[in-house]
Amino acid sequence: MKPAVLFIILLIAFTACNDPQNEVSQIRLKGSESMHAVFQQLKADFEKSNPEIQIILEGGGSRTGLDAIREQSADIGLSSFEFDLNKELGATSKVKEQVVAYDGIVIITNENNPLDSLTNEQVEKIYEGQISNWSELGGKSGTILPIVRDGNSGTQKFFTEHYKINGLSNTAITIDENKDIVNKVHSNVNAIGFIGFAYFSLGVHEIKLAADSFKFRAPTKSNLLNNSYPLKRGLRIYYNDQMSDSTKAFLVYLNSDNAKSIIESFGLVKAN
């Protein structure tokens, strides 16, 4: 190839690489594991229509998401727990909060466990270790294996505060991700765990929970809509009021019909 022709080719390639129109901006999202699956789909759909914007999605738990906003290491924090922003960040903080959807925490047991429902007191005593065998609840004899989340988890914080759990059972084990909790419960007949609504799958059994003195409620979309399921919660995002145009575009997208369709495909209720 002639030197002049080679020079022209290299010049064109260099120009294309440095064309501002080819630059990709990034949005960094970080936080709740319970929100990871639905935001993975939202990310894919948004990037399809906005190829000039790349979304970096990381987990780590709700506390990690809030800390990332505090440290400005993420543009959007994902949280399944409602933190007190004044307490966490100070009254002068410019961090905003938006609930994007509602889900419910689902308590799951092995599909071969015949137990169908639990009272608040029974859940509390299981996780504190005061009830340690399924036979104490009318089930088959077997040492209960309670599964919990790590300290960064918004699901863990919501669950322990709701049931006023003071100190965990000595037999409790920690598993970080929802899908791994599902797999553990599926493989161990004596296990019990709790997961985000979007992660419930075949192979495990959902437990009906006491909603009042007379009724137990299943974790269904209809019970989320009528507010009768006791472990309903908001899935929210945190962001600074000063943001890039790319982040603004994604926030607008979250209110679109496409986003609503994806959110509801996971069994969640889209926030208005």
Side-chain angles (χ1 to χ4, degrees):
M1 182 179 294
K2 293 181 180 180
V5 175
L6 177 59
F7 174 77
I8 292 172
I9 292 174
L10 292 174
L11 181 61
I12 292 172
F14 177 80
T15 303
C17 290
N18 288 276
D19 186 345
Q21 293 183 348
N22 292 329
E23 290 182 3
V24 175
S25 61
Q26 292 186 338
I27 312 171
R28 188 171 295 276
L29 278 63
K30 194 169 188 176
S32 171
E33 295 290 346
S34 294
M35 298 169 69
H36 195 274
V38 65
F39 268 81
Q40 189 69 44
Q41 291 297 314
L42 292 169
K43 158 186 156 66
D45 186 61
F46 177 79
E47 289 178 336
K48 191 187 307 178
S49 302
N50 300 272
E52 74 285 0
I53 303 175
Q54 179 186 27
I55 294 178
I56 308 298
L57 177 61
E58 300 177 68
S62 297
R63 166 64 66 180
T64 302
L66 182 61
D67 287 344
I69 293 300
R70 186 203 322 266
E71 298 160 3
Q72 297 185 5
S73 60
D75 301 294
I76 296 175
L78 310 178
S79 180
S80 60
F81 181 82
E82 183 180 6
F83 291 101
D84 183 335
L85 294 185
N86 285 341
K87 180 179 178 181
E88 294 284 343
L89 305 176
T92 60
S93 168
K94 301 296 185 182
V95 172
K96 305 297 183 183
E97 175 183 18
Q98 177 185 334
V99 175
V100 295
Y102 294 95
D103 85 335
I105 296 174
V106 184
I107 297 181
I108 58 172
T109 57
N110 184 273
E111 59 186 342
N112 293 316
N113 187 327
L115 203 67
D116 186 59
S117 60
L118 289 169
T119 66
N120 289 356
E121 183 182 16
Q122 288 170 335
V123 174
E124 177 189 356
K125 288 185 174 181
I126 286 172
Y127 275 90
E128 288 185 344
Q130 298 178 54
I131 295 176
S132 59
N133 196 292
W134 288 113
S135 61
E136 298 175 61
L137 299 170
K140 297 177 182 177
S141 181
T143 301
I144 299 173
L145 177 66
I147 300 172
V148 298
R149 301 284 301 280
D150 67 32
N152 286 325
S153 167
T155 302
Q156 176 72 23
K157 189 169 178 62
F158 185 100
F159 185 84
T160 54
E161 287 189 5
H162 179 86
Y163 287 112
K164 300 178 174 60
I165 296 170
N166 297 309
L168 292 170
S169 167
N170 291 332
T171 61
I173 63 171
T174 301
I175 297 179
D176 292 342
E177 296 191 19
N178 288 273
K179 60 182 177 61
D180 294 330
I181 295 173
V182 172
N183 291 337
K184 184 67 174 179
V185 172
H186 174 68
S187 64
N188 189 316
V189 70
N190 292 316
I192 182 171
F194 50 91
I195 57 174
F197 198 88
Y199 290 85
F200 180 76
S201 64
L202 297 176
V204 293
H205 176 63
E206 62 186 31
I207 293 293
K208 296 183 180 67
L209 301 176
D212 51 46
S213 302
F214 306 101
K215 292 183 179 179
F216 289 86
R217 299 289 186 181
T220 63
K221 187 171 182 179
S222 62
N223 285 339
L224 291 179
L225 286 167
N226 63 29
N227 295 315
S228 65
Y229 186 66
L231 293 185
K232 179 181 178 180
R233 59 178 178 173
L235 303 178
R236 66 200 70 242
I237 57 175
Y238 296 121
Y239 52 90
N240 285 293
D241 62 351
Q242 298 293 322
M243 68 185 78
S244 68
D245 289 341
S246 297
T247 302
K248 289 178 183 176
F250 185 67
L251 294 183
V252 170
Y253 164 78
L254 288 178
N255 292 315
S256 69
D257 289 339
N258 271 19
K260 182 176 187 291
S261 177
I262 290 171
I263 288 169
E264 293 183 344
S265 73
F266 282 83
L268 310 179
V269 176
K270 178 73 173 70
N272 295 325

